[in-house]
Amino acid sequence: MIGSNAFGYINMLNKAADASVIRQELLSNNLANNDTPNYKRKDLNFESYLKKELKGDEDLDKRVAKANLSKLDGSIYTDRANLSYRYDGNNVDVDVEEGYVAENQIRYYTLLQTMTEEFQRLRMVLSR
Amino acid sequence: MSIFNGMNISASGMSAQRLRMDIISQNIANVETTRDENGNPYRRKTVVFSERESGSFGTVLAQKAASKASDTQGNGVKVTAIVEDHVTAMKRVYNPSHPDADQDGYVTMPNVNTVTEMTNLISATRSYEANVTAFNATKNMLLKGLEVGK
């Protein structure tokens, strides 16, 4: 198992789940600051880093094996778009944020489920 | 930063909105108050919110060093002040028999507008509910994390 990269996918999913938890905190923070004047919403950019690490024409297994996990931390950015519709300089839209919260929650559950299935496959092979 | 950060953030939003509701209730309760503790007519109060920054210098430094980005993660909301409204004009009502009437018979009434207060109350309730939803989402995510591999 050691050095065979059997946990390659699980490590990758783990990074994605970490990003999802951080994003959840950022979205909670946006909702908490819904009435703070001049607050600008914050979000996490993870997908573009993942895309960069997984690019290439090879087999997905090889690309996952080659990916550098330390570059998959994502980066927090302040979203200055959508400035126009509120008087107080705040650009948080509660309904949009709630939509993101639901989306992020489902994504996180999916990642955990996929991780569990990956563990089950490993366990199945070991118990043969 | 702990794993319960998300819940703490939502909790800060909930308590800030609850304080706002308390202040609005106080404004409505004092809609006819012509004498506050200093003997003046009551003035409506509002709360001032600001973003709560992440704790000490050390934690901010650690966060900045850990991420390549210049933006740091937020840490919820805080109430910086409860201020009196000196912009909205006080109401003047003609009522010569009132003990607080001036020599012309006018009484200065609080600058509380019940409709404005009720609208703000609805806004505060909605914001509170949004925080509750985010809180529950975070809680369920954390609990789901315990079930990995089962």
Side-chain angles (χ1 to χ4, degrees):
Chain A
M1 301 257 339
I2 299 159
S4 69
N5 203 37
F7 295 119
Y9 278 99
I10 288 171
N11 288 337
M12 195 67 106
L13 292 165
N14 188 17
K15 276 289 183 185
D18 279 353
S20 199
V21 169
I22 291 174
R23 182 148 194 255
Q24 175 68 21
E25 289 177 7
L26 292 170
L27 295 175
S28 299
N29 194 49
N30 290 342
L31 283 167
N33 284 290
N34 177 33
D35 291 309
T36 307
N38 295 318
Y39 175 82
K40 302 280 183 273
R41 68 178 298 273
K42 287 177 184 164
D43 211 328
L44 185 79
N45 179 7
F46 172 75
E47 281 78 8
S48 71
Y49 289 91
L50 184 65
K51 201 174 172 185
K52 203 192 272 178
E53 284 302 309
L54 287 181
K55 69 165 181 247
D57 312 319
E58 296 166 290
D59 193 34
L60 184 64
D61 289 346
K62 283 184 187 143
R63 281 183 279 154
V64 169
K66 276 207 292 191
N68 185 357
L69 289 177
S70 65
K71 285 189 177 162
L72 280 176
D73 286 330
S75 66
I76 299 166
Y77 66 95
T78 306
D79 189 353
R80 289 177 200 281
N82 193 14
L83 294 168
S84 56
Y85 88 106
R86 276 177 70 165
Y87 285 121
D88 59 357
N90 187 314
N91 66 351
V92 176
D93 184 331
V94 182
D95 307 303
V96 174
E97 297 295 330
E98 291 288 8
Y100 287 149
V101 166
E103 173 200 310
N104 190 48
Q105 197 179 4
I106 292 169
R107 177 171 301 170
Y108 184 74
Y109 285 1
T110 312
L111 289 166
L112 293 192
Q113 185 61 39
T114 316
M115 241 195 241
T116 305
E117 283 163 10
E118 193 73 19
F119 277 123
Q120 276 169 356
R121 275 192 284 274
L122 287 171
R123 203 180 288 156
M124 189 174 75
V125 168
L126 290 173
S127 62
R128 286 276 148 168
Chain B
M1 204 180 93
S2 82
I3 56 160
F4 300 116
N5 213 17
M7 284 157 85
N8 289 336
I9 288 168
S10 293
S12 81
M14 277 148 72
S15 62
Q17 295 297 341
R18 200 148 42 80
L19 180 71
R20 186 167 159 222
M21 279 190 237
D22 289 349
I23 298 297
I24 292 168
S25 305
Q26 200 197 352
N27 286 342
I28 295 174
N30 285 295
V31 71
E32 301 280 336
T33 305
T34 52
R35 267 181 232 177
D36 65 2
E37 55 201 340
N38 302 318
N40 304 314
Y42 178 82
R43 273 185 188 278
R44 75 181 279 263
K45 293 180 176 61
T46 46
V47 289
V48 182
F49 288 164
S50 76
E51 193 188 1
R52 190 165 71 181
E53 298 295 337
S54 333
S56 63
F57 174 77
T59 44
V60 175
L61 184 68
Q63 246 187 31
K64 290 252 182 194
S67 68
K68 293 161 282 282
S70 55
D71 291 322
T72 48
Q73 207 173 337
N75 205 18
V77 66
K78 68 179 174 191
V79 175
T80 40
I82 297 169
V83 290
E84 289 191 340
D85 181 357
H86 286 276
V87 180
T88 315
M90 302 294 267
K91 271 184 288 189
R92 290 186 29 95
V93 177
Y94 185 69
N95 186 3
S97 60
H98 196 284
D100 289 326
D102 60 12
Q103 54 268 55
D104 300 326
Y106 281 95
V107 185
T108 309
M109 300 297 275
N111 55 354
V112 177
N113 183 340
T114 324
V115 178
T116 309
E117 301 301 332
M118 288 309 291
T119 315
N120 287 339
L121 191 63
I122 293 168
S123 162
T125 315
R126 291 288 169 266
S127 296
Y128 186 88
E129 284 167 0
N131 280 301
V132 172
T133 311
F135 184 92
N136 283 329
T138 313
K139 193 184 79 179
N140 289 333
M141 277 170 69
L142 293 178
L143 286 173
K144 202 80 170 177
L146 295 174
E147 292 169 18
V148 175
K150 273 188 188 163

